[in-house]
Amino acid sequence: MRVVMDAAKDIGCEASVMLGLDMCSGKIVEGLGDGDAEGEEDAEAKEAKDEDAGEITYDVAKWVKGGNRSLKTGEDLTEMYIEWLVKFSVLSLEDPFHQKDSPSFMQFKERLDAEIARAKEREAKLAEAVEGDEPGDADEEPTVRNTATVGNDPACFLQLVGSATCSTEAEIDRYHEEQTVNTLLLTMAKGRTVSGAVSMIGKAQSLGWGVVASIETDSAETPDDFIAHLAVGCKAGQLKAGGLRGGEFVSKYNALLRIAQSEEAPPYASRSFRSFSSSS
């Protein structure tokens, strides 16, 4: 993260660059595996398993190849994520915890709300100090960097993205009720139909969630650019299509350019990517 932000600073665009992090919690969790990634198990059965899971741990060494085993609890991850939010301009956290780790989702949301409130209070004090020509309290503990709304959505200060955690509409309802996830990441993996994808996107948008249309990162990618058309057609506002390191990835971005240059080009979401679906 530091390398990316330092590079952005060196070329003078630090203010325009924000980070989205995929924490791959299903791949680093200990003893549970990826779970029912496509929602084959009903919501009641999943909830019963959640209650019996006990304390869940994560081996964060799996984030890098060859790392030494390093187990963390959900509480440890919460502190780590908050530290990153203090140091870096983070826009999104994807699957920060395993879908069976409800206590950690709740704990992180509480910490995040408290930190944002503290940051806003500090900003207000500094503004008052400037107006009164008085020095601010420079020794106060650092707060999260981003207190601006994300995607022009007044209810969102950090995208908490559900991918493996939100594979069914019932799970979307659950996380919305808990207010621990506010963004759906949707792929066309494992036989999901177009009508099913459109239904999932519509469900998320009806609840005020953001949507990220994404390629399937766990399998070999092809030059097919359908996901770009789905993102535009459903007004997702966000596309996760990998880096510019091969034709199979570049094809998605080329499709977006062709759509934008067409005679009937749809409106561009720009910075209103979360509120785009309801405003155009």
Side-chain angles (χ1 to χ4, degrees), residues 28-44:
I28 67 171
V29 70
E30 288 290 292
L32 292 178
D34 286 329
D36 302 280
E38 288 303 306
E40 304 243 340
E41 189 175 17
D42 63 50
E44 290 184 5

Side-chain angles (χ1 to χ4, degrees), residues 56 155 157 160:
I56 295 173
F157 296 93
L160 298 170

Side-chain angles (χ1 to χ4, degrees), residues 39-50 168 170-171 174:
E40 304 243 340
E41 189 175 17
D42 63 50
E44 290 184 5
K46 285 189 174 186
E47 186 174 350
K49 284 189 176 181
D50 291 349
T168 67
E171 287 177 333
R174 169 193 162 190

Side-chain angles (χ1 to χ4, degrees), residues 25 34 83 85 88 95 113 128-129 149 170 173 175 187 196 200 205 213 215 243-244 250-251 253 258 275 280:
S25 57
D34 286 329
E83 182 179 347
L85 294 174
F88 305 104
D95 286 347
D113 289 345
E128 291 176 0
T149 58
D173 282 330
Y175 286 105
T187 73
M200 287 279 288
Q205 290 174 337
I215 61 173
L244 303 177
V250 174
S251 64
Y253 301 108
R258 287 193 296 271
S275 56
S280 59

Side-chain angles (χ1 to χ4, degrees), residues 232-246:
V232 174
C234 291
K235 298 182 180 179
Q238 300 175 79
L239 175 67
K240 179 181 175 183
L244 303 177
R245 64 184 188 275

Side-chain angles (χ1 to χ4, degrees), residues 174-220:
R174 169 193 162 190
Y175 286 105
H176 181 69
E177 183 177 350
E178 295 175 353
Q179 296 187 342
T180 51
V181 174
N182 57 26
T183 306
L184 171 69
L185 183 136
L186 184 133
T187 73
M188 295 299 296
K190 297 182 180 178
R192 174 170 280 143
T193 64
V194 173
S195 59
V198 171
S199 178
M200 287 279 288
I201 291 172
K203 175 69 172 181
Q205 290 174 337
S206 72
L207 297 174
W209 283 29
V211 174
V212 182
S214 175
I215 61 173
E216 177 51 54
T217 56
D218 288 337
S219 59

